[in-house]
Amino acid sequence: MSERRVSIAQHYHERTKYDPETIASKNKQLDWENQPVPYKEYKVGTTFDLKPYLKEDYEAYIDEPGKTWRRLSQLLLHSYGLTARMPTLNGPPLYLRAAPSAGGLYPAEIYLVSRGTPILPTGLYNYQCRSHSLIHFWESEVWAVLQDACFWHPVLGSTDLAIVITAVFHRSAWRYEDRAYRRIFLDTGHLLGNIELACSLTAYRPHLVGGFSDETVNNLLYLDPDAEGTIAIIPLADQLNPRQNLPPAPTVLPSSTQISYPNIPEGELLGYLHRATQIEDTRNWNLDKDDSNTNAEKQLEDKYNFPFCTKVSTATKPIDWQSEDLPLQALSNTILQRRSTRAYNGANLTLDELNAVLDFTYQPQHSFAQGLDSSPDYFDLNLIETFVAVSGVTNLEEGCYYYAPKAQELRQIRFKNFRRELHYLCLGQELGRDAAAVVFHTADLEKAVTKVGDRAYRYLHMDAGHLGQRMNLAAIYLGLGVSGIAGFFDDQVNEVLGIPTDEAVLYITTLGRPRRL
């Protein structure tokens, strides 16, 4: 009997796992002389400088164009703008952004597509992070092409601006090789989390679109598809325009599922998977809405719901992002001041602190009264599962817990302290050992591929990164330390924590008290 072939997404996941016996072979010498530049520069085009609109004197923007420019400037700054300039010993300075990136490599690029607005003429724009400006590099009508590429998504019929996020693959692959595809989409998920919250600060509503014709959008932006590819499209509904107060719309379209593929050499797996997960046509799809999500929610909430299972409520008072001076100023400051923690001191968190982080991450409806979106767009959170390894949380027994977001409770599935094992699982990083709690996002990859094809691999990692960004910001606001980890011994995580083997580990977020270095 021949061995059953798995889909290309499952094959990629298996091939890019880290294993204790083979990890040494993946530690190649980095070519520092040829490290990719983490931003694009356009030499030709009209520049729109956004820096003048960063003034804190809000009364300076008395005319309508000035107010709109300020909103757009703040949106881009809080999404992916520069927040620090770090000198280096031998090379150019390292620019840190509002959204984190594995290894500080920043593979994402942000483009704006304009239908034509009072401040942005029709055409294509690239966000120049170093100068905080927009470069208008194509001036012709493009909106109809974008609509066609998104299969006439309903939101694009009423909006005038859309963000397009792409990835320059080599920026991450230079260091992480084929496994970089995972990190690219986790990074993009963090960026999506920032865009969502930055839109709340600036009276926009982002509508996430993950289903589009890759080739059409890549051609629209004049991309080299072997070097850079479109990852997500976000039409921006202007909340100050009643015509654009639109209901949420579908975010996901399926791709094909490829189970026949050649032997792919090392170094070519990332590119092969990206091409395999592209969408070309929707004519043969049944896109009618069904109740699969409802069934998935019920199954999710029933997991580990045993009578003997210790259950701890996570219900808590939501984080208050308001300030006496300006609405949501605390959120703005947190986004711009966020930094990944480099070391923890091993001290405990309180249960209230852990609950507050989980509440902001998974219960956005609790922050609705403060002006935040009560139902931010994800691709499919019903495919994501959350486990929490607790090593040091006051009034919470050590062990591994399953988190049920609808029930708002932690369900204990393992009873021990995992500090030593977590140090090992996180490739010897002390962050895993010294964290008070470590959050694992996982997914049943076979089920996800069955539902939406191999493109599920993109959706899953972006959703995990989006959750990770909300977790980051909640922790930073509370004065805690937080750091994401995308490098780990995959199979050993399942084994040590008692997570089913069919759950693919997507992402790890560590939480603790920062060590003052």
Side-chain angles (χ1 to χ4, degrees), residues 2 70 72 167 234 317 329 400 428 452 501 517:
S2 61
R70 184 185 184 283
L72 188 58
I234 308 105
K317 181 180 178 181
Q329 186 62 41
C400 182
V452 291
T501 56
L517 301 176

Side-chain angles (χ1 to χ4, degrees), residues 402-414:
Y402 172 79
Y403 176 61
K406 296 291 189 303
Q408 296 187 62
E409 64 185 19
L410 291 166
R411 300 168 182 167
Q412 192 170 15
I413 59 174
R414 282 282 172 100

Side-chain angles (χ1 to χ4, degrees), residues 319-323 328-331 334 360 370 372 473-474 477:
I319 291 174
D320 185 3
W321 295 102
Q322 302 288 6
S323 65
L328 297 177
Q329 186 62 41
L331 176 59
T334 302
F360 181 69
Q370 301 179 42
L372 297 179
L473 296 174
Y477 177 74

Side-chain angles (χ1 to χ4, degrees), residues 39-251:
Y39 44 80
K40 293 180 78 169
E41 291 187 285
Y42 284 80
K43 303 299 184 183
V44 177
T46 304
T47 298
F48 292 83
D49 189 4
L50 300 174
K51 292 188 294 298
Y53 304 98
L54 296 178
K55 298 175 184 176
E56 294 186 4
D57 181 8
Y58 297 95
E59 296 181 359
Y61 310 104
I62 57 175
D63 61 335
E64 195 57 42
K67 292 177 182 177
T68 305
W69 273 120
R70 184 185 184 283
R71 292 167 61 202
L72 188 58
S73 176
Q74 293 287 342
L75 169 60
L76 292 170
L77 175 70
H78 287 82
S79 297
Y80 211 41
L82 299 185
T83 55
R85 180 180 182 274
M86 308 288 289
T88 60
L89 290 176
N90 301 314
L94 173 64
Y95 295 100
L96 303 182
R97 311 267 190 104
S101 173
L105 300 174
Y106 302 106
E109 284 286 328
I110 288 183
Y111 297 83
L112 274 184
V113 183
S114 174
R115 187 202 291 259
T117 76
I119 67 167
L120 286 180
T122 187
L124 306 173
Y125 300 76
N126 178 265
Y127 175 53
Q128 301 278 284
C129 63
R130 287 200 305 164
S131 59
H132 190 55
S133 63
L134 287 170
I135 186 80
H136 189 195
F137 66 90
W138 186 257
E139 299 181 3
S140 298
E141 165 63 40
V142 290
W143 197 260
V145 179
L146 183 66
Q147 288 180 288
D148 186 56
C150 294
F151 309 109
W152 298 91
H153 191 281
V155 171
L156 288 167
S158 301
T159 50
D160 301 315
L161 287 176
I163 290 174
V164 179
I165 300 174
T166 70
V168 180
F169 306 120
H170 183 58
R171 290 183 193 168
S172 286
W174 167 80
R175 179 168 183 173
Y176 298 115
E177 302 178 290
D178 282 326
R179 190 171 168 120
Y181 202 65
R182 304 189 187 197
R183 288 174 163 90
I184 286 168
F185 286 99
L186 291 171
D187 280 5
T188 304
H190 279 273
L191 176 53
L192 292 175
N194 265 9
I195 290 173
E196 170 222 324
L197 295 168
C199 281
S200 294
L201 296 172
T202 53
Y204 288 100
R205 204 294 185 180
H207 290 266
L208 181 61
V209 178
F212 50 84
S213 167
D214 297 70
E215 182 179 7
T216 305
V217 184
N218 291 343
N219 289 340
L220 173 67
L221 297 175
Y222 298 95
L223 306 182
D224 174 356
D226 292 329
E228 182 178 2
T230 304
I231 291 179
I233 299 172
I234 308 105
L236 298 176
D238 188 341
Q239 298 293 77
L240 302 184
N241 182 347
R243 183 178 66 89
Q244 295 189 20
N245 286 325
L246 308 170
T251 59

Side-chain angles (χ1 to χ4, degrees), residues 217-324:
V217 184
N218 291 343
N219 289 340
L220 173 67
L221 297 175
Y222 298 95
L223 306 182
D224 174 356
D226 292 329
E228 182 178 2
T230 304
I231 291 179
I233 299 172
I234 308 105
L236 298 176
D238 188 341
Q239 298 293 77
L240 302 184
N241 182 347
R243 183 178 66 89
Q244 295 189 20
N245 286 325
L246 308 170
T251 59
V252 167
L253 287 178
S255 71
S256 62
T257 301
Q258 188 178 134
I259 58 173
S260 179
Y261 40 86
N263 292 324
I264 306 166
E266 295 291 332
E268 298 180 15
L269 194 54
L270 185 158
Y272 190 96
L273 176 63
H274 187 71
R275 291 187 294 274
T277 57
Q278 293 184 4
I279 293 175
E280 297 178 357
D281 198 344
T282 65
R283 285 176 295 182
N284 298 322
W285 296 340
N286 179 9
L287 301 178
D288 294 336
K289 186 175 181 181
D290 58 31
D291 63 351
S292 58
N293 280 350
T294 302
N295 292 334
E297 287 185 24
K298 185 177 187 303
Q299 294 168 9
L300 201 62
E301 289 305 299
D302 285 343
K303 283 210 167 189
Y304 304 104
N305 198 11
F306 310 123
F308 57 83
C309 184
T310 300
K311 300 172 186 176
V312 179
S313 173
T314 62
T316 187
K317 181 180 178 181
I319 291 174
D320 185 3
W321 295 102
Q322 302 288 6
S323 65
E324 295 181 1

